[in-house]
Amino acid sequence: MNDKYKGADATVCKESLDAIVDEIRIALKDIFKCLNLNKGDIFVIGCSSSEIIGNKIGKGSSYETAKAIFDVIYPEFHNRGIYIAAQCCEHLNRALVIEKECADRYGYEPVSVIPQPKAGGSFATLAFESFSCPVVVEKIRAHAGMDIGDTLIGMHLRDVAVPIRLSIRKIGGANLVCAYTRPKYIGGSRAVY
């Protein structure tokens, strides 16, 4: 456990929040440098605020930490026309908060639930509160994604996920793993790709 980011009652001091925001900015810079995401693509984000501040996943949700991260991430993707899918925690079966426009475009069927910090997670709760017309769906097939704190986003990526090596491997105390997807190679030895 990394106590560097941990505060009383899942709160984080300003200096630690600033460091976490700086780490997110570095990760985003690397992601946009490495990936060729197109307008209308989906980027899934799993974010354990508990892990970021040095707690065990699901044991110390921090709304303020999630907000600091969301406030940096959202405009970067929104301004590029890339949909964010905010993955909920296991208490909502890792459902996702997306814009209704995204659900309509890709044919994802909404379900009836509103994420809360302790049932869905702080990051998903913020997405639901911040998106212009949020809906929750049970599954998607995202083009790429970011997993902050071992939240297991792989179930929501398209087939053939390829890891991305960033210059940073942690956000606060949480492991950071990113991936993009590519089409399957088929056809054997005579195929041309």
Side-chain angles (χ1 to χ4, degrees), residues 145-164:
M146 174 190 302
D147 185 325
I148 307 169
D150 303 319
T151 62
L152 305 176
I153 64 165
M155 64 191 286
H156 296 302
L157 292 172
R158 292 176 167 200
D159 289 344
V160 193
V162 180
I164 303 168

PDB file of all heavy atoms in Angstrom, residues 145-164:
ATOM      1  N   GLY A 145      -8.634   1.842 -24.128  1.00  0.00           N
ATOM      2  CA  GLY A 145      -9.031   2.111 -22.763  1.00  0.00           C
ATOM      3  C   GLY A 145      -7.882   2.302 -21.800  1.00  0.00           C
ATOM      4  O   GLY A 145      -6.716   2.057 -22.130  1.00  0.00           O
ATOM      5  N   MET A 146      -8.252   2.745 -20.608  1.00  0.00           N
ATOM      6  CA  MET A 146      -7.320   3.023 -19.522  1.00  0.00           C
ATOM      7  C   MET A 146      -7.859   2.385 -18.253  1.00  0.00           C
ATOM      8  O   MET A 146      -9.004   2.614 -17.884  1.00  0.00           O
ATOM      9  CB  MET A 146      -7.189   4.540 -19.342  1.00  0.00           C
ATOM     10  CG  MET A 146      -6.358   4.959 -18.145  1.00  0.00           C
ATOM     11  SD  MET A 146      -6.458   6.751 -17.783  1.00  0.00           S
ATOM     12  CE  MET A 146      -5.914   7.487 -19.287  1.00  0.00           C
ATOM     13  N   ASP A 147      -7.031   1.575 -17.618  1.00  0.00           N
ATOM     14  CA  ASP A 147      -7.405   0.893 -16.387  1.00  0.00           C
ATOM     15  C   ASP A 147      -6.530   1.443 -15.270  1.00  0.00           C
ATOM     16  O   ASP A 147      -5.335   1.194 -15.224  1.00  0.00           O
ATOM     17  CB  ASP A 147      -7.189  -0.612 -16.562  1.00  0.00           C
ATOM     18  CG  ASP A 147      -7.658  -1.426 -15.372  1.00  0.00           C
ATOM     19  OD1 ASP A 147      -7.537  -0.944 -14.225  1.00  0.00           O
ATOM     20  OD2 ASP A 147      -8.114  -2.552 -15.586  1.00  0.00           O
ATOM     21  N   ILE A 148      -7.141   2.203 -14.369  1.00  0.00           N
ATOM     22  CA  ILE A 148      -6.428   2.793 -13.245  1.00  0.00           C
ATOM     23  C   ILE A 148      -6.837   2.041 -11.985  1.00  0.00           C
ATOM     24  O   ILE A 148      -7.958   2.186 -11.516  1.00  0.00           O
ATOM     25  CB  ILE A 148      -6.761   4.294 -13.089  1.00  0.00           C
ATOM     26  CG1 ILE A 148      -6.545   5.062 -14.387  1.00  0.00           C
ATOM     27  CG2 ILE A 148      -5.941   4.903 -11.957  1.00  0.00           C
ATOM     28  CD1 ILE A 148      -7.098   6.479 -14.375  1.00  0.00           C
ATOM     29  N   GLY A 149      -5.959   1.183 -11.491  1.00  0.00           N
ATOM     30  CA  GLY A 149      -6.235   0.485 -10.245  1.00  0.00           C
ATOM     31  C   GLY A 149      -6.767  -0.923 -10.405  1.00  0.00           C
ATOM     32  O   GLY A 149      -7.509  -1.399  -9.550  1.00  0.00           O
ATOM     33  N   ASP A 150      -6.408  -1.586 -11.499  1.00  0.00           N
ATOM     34  CA  ASP A 150      -6.783  -2.996 -11.698  1.00  0.00           C
ATOM     35  C   ASP A 150      -8.292  -3.210 -11.668  1.00  0.00           C
ATOM     36  O   ASP A 150      -8.812  -4.100 -10.992  1.00  0.00           O
ATOM     37  CB  ASP A 150      -6.093  -3.886 -10.651  1.00  0.00           C
ATOM     38  CG  ASP A 150      -4.580  -3.721 -10.689  1.00  0.00           C
ATOM     39  OD1 ASP A 150      -4.023  -3.634 -11.796  1.00  0.00           O
ATOM     40  OD2 ASP A 150      -3.966  -3.658  -9.609  1.00  0.00           O
ATOM     41  N   THR A 151      -9.010  -2.420 -12.449  1.00  0.00           N
ATOM     42  CA  THR A 151     -10.471  -2.481 -12.498  1.00  0.00           C
ATOM     43  C   THR A 151     -10.993  -3.450 -13.555  1.00  0.00           C
ATOM     44  O   THR A 151     -12.197  -3.628 -13.661  1.00  0.00           O
ATOM     45  CB  THR A 151     -11.058  -1.086 -12.767  1.00  0.00           C
ATOM     46  OG1 THR A 151     -10.597  -0.631 -14.041  1.00  0.00           O
ATOM     47  CG2 THR A 151     -10.663  -0.097 -11.689  1.00  0.00           C
ATOM     48  N   LEU A 152     -10.109  -4.054 -14.329  1.00  0.00           N
ATOM     49  CA  LEU A 152     -10.455  -5.095 -15.295  1.00  0.00           C
ATOM     50  C   LEU A 152     -11.357  -4.605 -16.428  1.00  0.00           C
ATOM     51  O   LEU A 152     -12.458  -5.122 -16.645  1.00  0.00           O
ATOM     52  CB  LEU A 152     -11.075  -6.304 -14.587  1.00  0.00           C
ATOM     53  CG  LEU A 152     -10.232  -6.897 -13.465  1.00  0.00           C
ATOM     54  CD1 LEU A 152     -10.987  -8.020 -12.758  1.00  0.00           C
ATOM     55  CD2 LEU A 152      -8.900  -7.401 -13.987  1.00  0.00           C
ATOM     56  N   ILE A 153     -10.873  -3.637 -17.193  1.00  0.00           N
ATOM     57  CA  ILE A 153     -11.644  -3.095 -18.319  1.00  0.00           C
ATOM     58  C   ILE A 153     -11.649  -4.012 -19.533  1.00  0.00           C
ATOM     59  O   ILE A 153     -12.412  -3.793 -20.467  1.00  0.00           O
ATOM     60  CB  ILE A 153     -11.119  -1.711 -18.765  1.00  0.00           C
ATOM     61  CG1 ILE A 153      -9.689  -1.804 -19.317  1.00  0.00           C
ATOM     62  CG2 ILE A 153     -11.265  -0.694 -17.654  1.00  0.00           C
ATOM     63  CD1 ILE A 153      -9.229  -0.603 -20.094  1.00  0.00           C
ATOM     64  N   GLY A 154     -10.812  -5.036 -19.551  1.00  0.00           N
ATOM     65  CA  GLY A 154     -10.656  -5.884 -20.733  1.00  0.00           C
ATOM     66  C   GLY A 154     -11.948  -6.457 -21.266  1.00  0.00           C
ATOM     67  O   GLY A 154     -12.094  -6.665 -22.467  1.00  0.00           O
ATOM     68  N   MET A 155     -12.912  -6.698 -20.387  1.00  0.00           N
ATOM     69  CA  MET A 155     -14.188  -7.256 -20.813  1.00  0.00           C
ATOM     70  C   MET A 155     -14.973  -6.288 -21.694  1.00  0.00           C
ATOM     71  O   MET A 155     -15.923  -6.695 -22.365  1.00  0.00           O
ATOM     72  CB  MET A 155     -15.036  -7.648 -19.596  1.00  0.00           C
ATOM     73  CG  MET A 155     -15.439  -6.488 -18.726  1.00  0.00           C
ATOM     74  SD  MET A 155     -16.157  -6.965 -17.130  1.00  0.00           S
ATOM     75  CE  MET A 155     -17.760  -7.530 -17.632  1.00  0.00           C
ATOM     76  N   HIS A 156     -14.562  -5.018 -21.734  1.00  0.00           N
ATOM     77  CA  HIS A 156     -15.273  -4.017 -22.521  1.00  0.00           C
ATOM     78  C   HIS A 156     -14.477  -3.529 -23.729  1.00  0.00           C
ATOM     79  O   HIS A 156     -14.857  -2.551 -24.372  1.00  0.00           O
ATOM     80  CB  HIS A 156     -15.661  -2.839 -21.636  1.00  0.00           C
ATOM     81  CG  HIS A 156     -16.620  -3.213 -20.552  1.00  0.00           C
ATOM     82  ND1 HIS A 156     -17.840  -3.783 -20.795  1.00  0.00           N
ATOM     83  CD2 HIS A 156     -16.518  -3.125 -19.212  1.00  0.00           C
ATOM     84  CE1 HIS A 156     -18.463  -4.005 -19.654  1.00  0.00           C
ATOM     85  NE2 HIS A 156     -17.679  -3.624 -18.672  1.00  0.00           N
ATOM     86  N   LEU A 157     -13.372  -4.201 -24.038  1.00  0.00           N
ATOM     87  CA  LEU A 157     -12.585  -3.860 -25.223  1.00  0.00           C
ATOM     88  C   LEU A 157     -12.955  -4.783 -26.375  1.00  0.00           C
ATOM     89  O   LEU A 157     -13.379  -5.919 -26.166  1.00  0.00           O
ATOM     90  CB  LEU A 157     -11.086  -3.995 -24.936  1.00  0.00           C
ATOM     91  CG  LEU A 157     -10.493  -2.987 -23.957  1.00  0.00           C
ATOM     92  CD1 LEU A 157      -9.055  -3.374 -23.613  1.00  0.00           C
ATOM     93  CD2 LEU A 157     -10.555  -1.580 -24.524  1.00  0.00           C
ATOM     94  N   ARG A 158     -12.759  -4.305 -27.583  1.00  0.00           N
ATOM     95  CA  ARG A 158     -12.940  -5.161 -28.752  1.00  0.00           C
ATOM     96  C   ARG A 158     -11.918  -6.286 -28.710  1.00  0.00           C
ATOM     97  O   ARG A 158     -10.933  -6.215 -27.983  1.00  0.00           O
ATOM     98  CB  ARG A 158     -12.735  -4.341 -30.022  1.00  0.00           C
ATOM     99  CG  ARG A 158     -13.812  -3.319 -30.252  1.00  0.00           C
ATOM    100  CD  ARG A 158     -13.493  -2.486 -31.466  1.00  0.00           C
ATOM    101  NE  ARG A 158     -14.665  -1.737 -31.846  1.00  0.00           N
ATOM    102  CZ  ARG A 158     -14.869  -1.218 -33.028  1.00  0.00           C
ATOM    103  NH1 ARG A 158     -13.959  -1.348 -33.976  1.00  0.00           N
ATOM    104  NH2 ARG A 158     -15.972  -0.558 -33.291  1.00  0.00           N
ATOM    105  N   ASP A 159     -12.156  -7.304 -29.521  1.00  0.00           N
ATOM    106  CA  ASP A 159     -11.199  -8.408 -29.610  1.00  0.00           C
ATOM    107  C   ASP A 159      -9.831  -7.897 -30.039  1.00  0.00           C
ATOM    108  O   ASP A 159      -9.733  -6.890 -30.747  1.00  0.00           O
ATOM    109  CB  ASP A 159     -11.677  -9.453 -30.622  1.00  0.00           C
ATOM    110  CG  ASP A 159     -12.887 -10.223 -30.107  1.00  0.00           C
ATOM    111  OD1 ASP A 159     -13.152 -10.169 -28.899  1.00  0.00           O
ATOM    112  OD2 ASP A 159     -13.558 -10.868 -30.930  1.00  0.00           O
ATOM    113  N   VAL A 160      -8.827  -8.577 -29.624  1.00  0.00           N
ATOM    114  CA  VAL A 160      -7.415  -8.321 -29.890  1.00  0.00           C
ATOM    115  C   VAL A 160      -6.969  -6.979 -29.284  1.00  0.00           C
ATOM    116  O   VAL A 160      -6.732  -5.996 -29.984  1.00  0.00           O
ATOM    117  CB  VAL A 160      -7.044  -8.408 -31.389  1.00  0.00           C
ATOM    118  CG1 VAL A 160      -5.537  -8.451 -31.534  1.00  0.00           C
ATOM    119  CG2 VAL A 160      -7.680  -9.610 -32.069  1.00  0.00           C
ATOM    120  N   ALA A 161      -6.887  -6.983 -27.973  1.00  0.00           N
ATOM    121  CA  ALA A 161      -6.377  -5.824 -27.236  1.00  0.00           C
ATOM    122  C   ALA A 161      -4.854  -5.861 -27.238  1.00  0.00           C
ATOM    123  O   ALA A 161      -4.251  -6.912 -27.069  1.00  0.00           O
ATOM    124  CB  ALA A 161      -6.896  -5.839 -25.805  1.00  0.00           C
ATOM    125  N   VAL A 162      -4.253  -4.699 -27.450  1.00  0.00           N
ATOM    126  CA  VAL A 162      -2.801  -4.571 -27.501  1.00  0.00           C
ATOM    127  C   VAL A 162      -2.375  -3.581 -26.422  1.00  0.00           C
ATOM    128  O   VAL A 162      -2.842  -2.435 -26.413  1.00  0.00           O
ATOM    129  CB  VAL A 162      -2.333  -4.066 -28.882  1.00  0.00           C
ATOM    130  CG1 VAL A 162      -0.824  -3.945 -28.938  1.00  0.00           C
ATOM    131  CG2 VAL A 162      -2.868  -4.962 -29.994  1.00  0.00           C
ATOM    132  N   PRO A 163      -1.510  -3.996 -25.476  1.00  0.00           N
ATOM    133  CA  PRO A 163      -1.102  -3.067 -24.417  1.00  0.00           C
ATOM    134  C   PRO A 163      -0.306  -1.893 -24.964  1.00  0.00           C
ATOM    135  O   PRO A 163       0.404  -2.016 -25.961  1.00  0.00           O
ATOM    136  CB  PRO A 163      -0.208  -3.916 -23.510  1.00  0.00           C
ATOM    137  CG  PRO A 163      -0.217  -5.291 -24.038  1.00  0.00           C
ATOM    138  CD  PRO A 163      -0.873  -5.298 -25.369  1.00  0.00           C
ATOM    139  N   ILE A 164      -0.434  -0.780 -24.290  1.00  0.00           N
ATOM    140  CA  ILE A 164       0.343   0.421 -24.614  1.00  0.00           C
ATOM    141  C   ILE A 164       1.295   0.658 -23.454  1.00  0.00           C
ATOM    142  O   ILE A 164       0.874   0.677 -22.300  1.00  0.00           O
ATOM    143  CB  ILE A 164      -0.563   1.659 -24.756  1.00  0.00           C
ATOM    144  CG1 ILE A 164      -1.641   1.453 -25.806  1.00  0.00           C
ATOM    145  CG2 ILE A 164       0.265   2.897 -25.083  1.00  0.00           C
ATOM    146  CD1 ILE A 164      -2.709   2.525 -25.753  1.00  0.00           C
TER     147      ILE A 164
END
